[in-house]
Amino acid sequence: MLRSVKGVICQGPKLDSGYFLHASARAWLSAAVNQDVQISAEKPRTVFRTNESNPASHAEQHEGQHYSIPLQEVKVVFPHGLPYRFQMQMKTFNESCLMVRKPALELLGYLKNTNFAHPAIRYVIYGEKGTGKTMTLCHAVHYCAKQDWLVLHIPDAHLWVKNCRELMQSSYNKERFDQPLKASTWLKNFKTSNDHFLKEIKTQQTYMWSKRESTEKGRPLGEVVEQGLTRVKNASDAVGVVLKELKKQCPLGSFRLLVAVDGINALWGRTTLRKKDKSAVGNYVPFLWLTKMEKPKGRVSPEELTLVHNLRKMVVNDWNGGAIVTTLSQTGSLFKPRSAYFPHELLGKEGFDTLDPFIPIQVSNYSQREFESCYQYYLDRKWLQHKRARTEEGRKELLFLSNSNPWQLERISAYL
């Protein structure tokens, strides 16, 4: 019978606490070399890396292999959007490597053959928890960035509907609420990824921010972004202006637009925000957490949030010249069963009807080839330090315990 992770760690000679971390470098290196020789004798190592770092060149022969993204490029393409644990892994390994997987290859194939004269096609990436939906989206974002697309990336839409303490009544529409801090953070990252576009794209109308401040017609779109950054109170409206201008100008053909939204089901779900006093007219609207048992009276609905209202318009495919790639997320989904992962379960009727028609792309657990590649990558980076984890028996045990789930494999390996 296969042992638990605890069994893998605890069996064998007794070791002092912290032995693996504090053993001498010489002894550890010697053991690692001997174990590498043992693995090589038992089974030839698969090719887990590829030198092809351009996503546009990725094909079936690269499936299951890791490709690296220069860290300086990561700062520009992904100022936000990468999962937290992947960011920690980048710091540990001192490199950024993504695995080329079949769902990503399918998605890239669609994007390469896009007919930009037709309405933007919507793609919905779905799958069980921890299968790699966000990383598939990031692969598509990297592809579009390398192809010089303008990337409008929303890294986690669920953050816009929960844990928000800066709700502010909109000056443009009294029925809506602004989230100035979240809006300004997004504008800052958006500017980092698309700075050269913001200098070239011009506004098509004049926008009044106050009696004294305005952005005139024909000015660079970057001035609108700067308005949201320097006047945080106007940040939510600045986001709305940016989205409006991009949607209007993309069909003209001067740039290609990728709308990438991680956790799009948040746009039609429920929020944790509830107005304490519906008649409050002050700058900041107090709220309470909404629990499952509370009635939704006075609850802030997603469409009342300025950011959500404007983002909903972007995922309606009444424009052309780009693509809309989204993911469904259970992690931040509010008041939904943990087992739910199909589009109709997470989107609900309103969300499903809004996105329909769309192309579904399912992300499953690792295939045998992908698991082996990930396992060998962890060995190569000396991430698996326990001597038994590096044997064939240990490999089979990791396969069983993780069930080839990428998230589970990473979590289990962190303790070895």
Side-chain angles (χ1 to χ4, degrees):
M1 183 180 293
L2 295 172
R3 299 182 298 278
S4 65
V5 177
K6 181 177 179 182
V8 175
I9 298 175
C10 297
Q11 288 188 13
K14 284 189 176 182
L15 301 174
D16 292 335
S17 177
Y19 173 80
F20 296 113
L21 294 178
H22 301 291
S24 68
R26 182 178 179 183
W28 177 82
L29 181 60
S30 175
V33 170
N34 293 335
Q35 289 153 8
D36 282 342
V37 171
Q38 181 180 358
I39 287 288
S40 300
E42 293 176 357
K43 186 175 183 178
R45 292 180 61 172
T46 59
V47 179
F48 60 89
R49 284 185 185 269
T50 175
N51 293 325
E52 184 53 72
S53 60
N54 186 356
S57 301
H58 290 161
E60 290 185 7
Q61 65 266 27
H62 300 113
E63 184 181 340
Q65 297 178 349
H66 293 77
Y67 81 97
S68 61
I69 308 176
L71 294 180
Q72 289 301 319
E73 189 174 325
V74 171
K75 293 179 181 179
V76 176
V77 179
F78 299 107
H80 59 184
L82 291 174
Y84 174 74
R85 292 193 67 88
F86 183 81
Q87 295 180 46
M88 298 299 294
Q89 194 176 88
M90 283 172 50
K91 293 180 180 179
T92 303
F93 297 163
N94 195 30
E95 67 173 2
S96 174
C97 280
L98 271 67
M99 183 188 292
V100 181
R101 301 189 62 193
K102 188 174 181 179
L105 291 175
E106 178 186 355
L107 178 56
L108 296 187
Y110 293 142
L111 294 176
K112 291 175 184 177
N113 295 290
T114 299
N115 186 334
F116 295 106
H118 293 169
I121 297 178
R122 291 171 291 205
Y123 305 93
V124 176
I125 302 171
Y126 73 100
E128 296 183 70
K129 181 180 179 181
T131 53
K133 300 180 291 295
T134 297
M135 298 310 296
T136 299
L137 177 66
C138 288
H139 199 160
V141 168
H142 188 215
Y143 163 79
C144 291
K146 294 287 283 185
Q147 296 300 304
D148 201 29
W149 288 35
L150 191 154
V151 178
L152 197 158
H153 189 187
I154 311 297
D156 189 353
H158 286 98
L159 295 180
W160 288 3
V161 298
K162 66 177 185 178
N163 302 339
C164 179
R165 298 185 180 275
E166 77 283 358
L167 280 184
M168 181 176 175
Q169 192 172 49
S170 172
S171 58
Y172 178 76
N173 187 329
K174 300 299 182 181
E175 298 297 320
R176 298 199 195 109
F177 300 100
D178 293 344
Q179 298 159 285
L181 296 183
K182 291 188 181 297
S184 61
T185 300
W186 183 84
L187 285 171
K188 178 182 177 181
N189 293 321
F190 176 75
K191 179 183 177 182
T192 300
S193 299
N194 303 283
D195 193 40
H196 61 293
F197 285 108
L198 298 178
K199 297 175 183 178
E200 299 170 0
I201 301 173
K202 310 297 182 183
T203 57
Q204 293 190 338
Q205 68 182 74
T206 299
Y207 296 97
M208 298 296 299
W209 307 106
S210 66
K211 293 181 179 180
R212 297 182 179 181
E213 292 181 298
S214 65
T215 300
E216 299 297 326
K217 178 181 179 181
R219 299 300 299 168
L221 190 59
E223 291 189 8
V224 175
V225 175
E226 287 300 325
Q227 175 68 30
L229 294 176
T230 56
R231 299 287 188 270
V232 179
K233 181 179 179 180
N234 297 328
S236 296
D237 289 333
V239 171
V241 170
V242 168
L243 301 189
K244 176 183 176 181
E245 289 287 345
L246 294 180
K247 187 172 182 179
K248 287 172 60 178
Q249 298 189 44
C250 182
L252 302 178
S254 57
F255 60 90
R256 301 302 181 199
L257 175 63
L258 172 70
V259 178
V261 185
D262 198 356
I264 195 172
N265 45 304
L267 304 188
W268 295 279
R270 292 168 61 183
T271 75
T272 59
L273 310 179
R274 185 165 66 90
K275 291 169 283 186
K276 187 175 182 180
D277 181 5
K278 293 186 70 176
S279 62
V281 191
N283 282 340
Y284 288 89
V285 180
F287 71 92
L288 296 174
W289 294 111
L290 180 69
T291 64
K292 267 188 177 182
M293 301 304 295
E294 289 183 86
K295 295 181 179 180
K297 182 179 181 180
R299 174 165 51 89
V300 178
S301 58
E303 60 268 19
E304 290 182 281
L305 300 172
T306 303
L307 293 177
V308 172
H309 172 78
N310 290 317
L311 185 56
R312 280 186 176 187
K313 294 180 180 180
M314 289 301 299
V315 298
V316 175
N317 65 338
D318 55 355
W319 55 277
N320 60 283
I324 303 168
V325 182
T326 68
T327 72
L328 301 179
S329 172
Q330 305 96 318
T331 304
S333 187
L334 304 172
F335 315 126
K336 292 285 186 180
R338 289 189 175 184
S339 59
Y341 71 91
F342 287 109
H344 69 276
E345 293 177 310
L346 292 177
L347 286 171
K349 185 179 186 307
E350 183 183 3
F352 191 93
D353 291 343
T354 301
L355 291 181
D356 190 40
F358 60 83
I359 296 179
I361 298 177
Q362 184 174 8
V363 181
S364 304
N365 287 335
Y366 281 150
S367 64
Q368 182 177 356
R369 180 179 180 180
E370 291 170 341
F371 174 86
E372 185 65 26
S373 175
C374 184
Y375 174 70
Q376 294 293 347
Y377 177 69
Y378 285 163
L379 290 179
D380 179 72
R381 304 315 300 170
K382 301 295 186 289
W383 187 238
L384 298 172
Q385 296 187 17
H386 195 284
K387 60 181 181 180
R388 296 188 180 182
R390 302 174 65 89
T391 64
E392 180 63 20
E393 182 183 16
R395 187 191 71 82
K396 291 180 179 179
E397 207 163 305
L398 285 173
L399 176 63
F400 172 76
L401 293 173
S402 67
N403 194 29
S404 295
N405 181 273
W407 180 78
Q408 290 285 3
L409 178 61
E410 190 275 334
R411 297 281 292 189
I412 294 172
S413 300
Y415 295 99
L416 301 178

